[in-house]
Amino acid sequence: MSSAYQAKTKRSKRLFERAQKVFAGGVNHNARFYEPYPIFVTRAQRQHIWDEDGKRYTDYWMGHLALILGHSPKVVTDALAVQIEKGTHFGMGSRLSVEFGEEIQRTVPCAEAMRLCNTGAEATMYLVRLARAFTGKRVVVKMTGGWHGYNTELNKGVNRPFDKTESAGILEEEQEHVRSVRFNDLAGAEAEVKRARRDVAAIFLEPVLGAGGCIPADKDYLKGLRELADREGTLLAFDEIITGFRLALGGAQEWYGVKPDLATFGKVAGGGLPLGLVAGRKEILSLADPSRKEGFVSIGGGTFSENPLTMTAGLATVRHLRRHRATLYPILENLGRTVREGVDRAFAEGGVEAHTTGLGSLFQTHFGANPRSAEDVAAEDRRRTKDYALFLMSAGVFVLPGHLGGVSSEHSFSDIRKLIGLSAKFSGSIKHS
Ligand SMILES: Cc1ncc(COP(=O)(O)O)c(C=O)c1O
């Protein structure tokens, strides 16, 4: 698979060699590196990206799943063109940020109050701080495979063997109070919470495990975690950085009908510009009010928080989603289901064991048994996953090897038929290899 990919991406290879001389490993996000080398993108429009060699791809990575309306949607770019003339960075609040906040408050069930920042990693860091300050407890129970950005404390238990820090340079003490439990295993979560002897500040999870394998939580599982949190006097917190404004306008909490105490958002809500957001119960967020005399929680944003470009792009996106929610979400769901069912059918007909997991517009194809946790995903045939991704890329379909994908409102059934057809072809190539 690698030779066909390399034959079509020669300029990306040359640029990667230059990138290696300036960036650690040639990339600026670990997920963007894959073997033999990643493509470099020159432009992006609707459901397409173009690489250095001029090759067009149907994109299912969609800017780390930030782009639910496709690349550069007109509703966003028109608004940005006007805002650029008025100013790109104020360093103070504006009507735009207030209106953006009100829009979030109106659509997200748990968002009684919020604070804006620039990345998801920052938002999850603030969430942990708020949860500990509010409860006076220390432990955070997260999921194995749960990815919450390059947040120091939560960079643990993400990849196999799941019981270690993800990075050299992080002190054991910094992660001492973070525990990982198996996703979709209520009894496991109960046992861990009990073991922590009423010292759990929050149970924190992605309602659809994202980087851990695109695995949706069972409805009863999330309801069970809500009850567990209430029973044990701990907070329930969702990382909705992938699911927010994607599964439904009000995110996974609306889709599942389970309201967390705190939640983080980013990606889609930023409309293609950098955003992090921590939202939740007013009494918890009020701890971050700087006029507060006692028990003040200092949680940022930062220099670029509520910058007018992100506010403009986010506001245009979230408003568009709200106005078109009745048609848009069923379309996304239908496209996503067609991918999941069609790809699985293509592999089943080829006699290859594969399962495409996901929910709504999200999907990821796994080679092996149908996974319910990151531990199951770790047992898969990784080589085949990588070969499949390179095969798709060589044929003009971009998926990031080993990562989940998503459709946007710009994808068509014809795009999906191509993906399914290529999956059938790949399945045939396995048989004959
Ligand atoms: C569930 C989840 N949380 C947090 C993050 C971190 O967000 P950011 O990359 O904006 O720091 C990500 C990013 O991929 C994510 O998928």
Side-chain angles (χ1 to χ4, degrees), residues 29 64 119-122 124 147-149 206 239 241-242 267 275:
H29 190 313
H64 290 240
T119 69
E122 228 186 311
T124 60
W147 169 247
H148 305 288
E206 303 161 80
D239 184 343
I241 286 167
I242 290 179
K267 297 200 194 273
L275 176 78

Side-chain angles (χ1 to χ4, degrees), residues 9 27 53 122 129 144 151 155 207 219 234 309-310 328 361:
T9 55
V27 289
D53 292 81
E122 228 186 311
R129 207 177 292 168
T144 46
N151 170 326
N155 247 276
K219 262 194 177 163
T234 178
L309 294 185
T310 298
L328 221 142
S361 54

Side-chain angles (χ1 to χ4, degrees), residues 93-171:
S94 66
R95 180 176 293 273
L96 278 171
S97 40
V98 175
E99 287 182 3
F100 178 69
E102 287 170 349
E103 196 69 48
I104 305 289
Q105 207 172 37
R106 190 198 293 195
T107 50
V108 175
C110 84
E112 292 170 13
M114 75 204 73
R115 186 54 84 79
L116 304 176
C117 52
N118 297 298
T119 69
E122 228 186 311
T124 60
M125 175 175 78
Y126 297 152
L127 182 144
V128 168
R129 207 177 292 168
L130 280 165
R132 286 182 174 150
F134 183 76
T135 58
K137 299 175 180 181
R138 294 177 296 179
V139 174
V140 175
V141 174
K142 72 181 279 288
M143 302 298 132
T144 46
W147 169 247
H148 305 288
Y150 291 100
N151 170 326
T152 298
E153 282 181 276
L154 300 176
N155 247 276
K156 184 180 183 182
V158 182
N159 292 294
R160 201 161 41 174
F162 300 118
D163 58 353
K164 290 199 168 51
T165 180
E166 296 294 313
S167 173
I170 293 178
L171 306 179

Side-chain angles (χ1 to χ4, degrees), residues 68 103-111 207 222 238-260 262-265 268-269 277 279 317-318 321-326 329 332:
I68 204 167
E103 196 69 48
I104 305 289
Q105 207 172 37
R106 190 198 293 195
T107 50
V108 175
C110 84
L222 286 191
F238 287 169
D239 184 343
E240 292 237 43
I241 286 167
I242 290 179
T243 53
F245 301 91
R246 178 174 280 281
L247 287 192
L249 185 65
Q253 49 194 280
E254 178 189 318
W255 197 91
Y256 280 95
V258 177
K259 192 163 143 188
L262 287 170
T264 47
F265 293 85
V268 171
L277 189 166
T317 301
V318 176
L321 292 172
R322 178 168 54 75
R323 287 178 183 152
H324 298 277
R325 69 189 298 185
Y329 287 100
L332 288 166

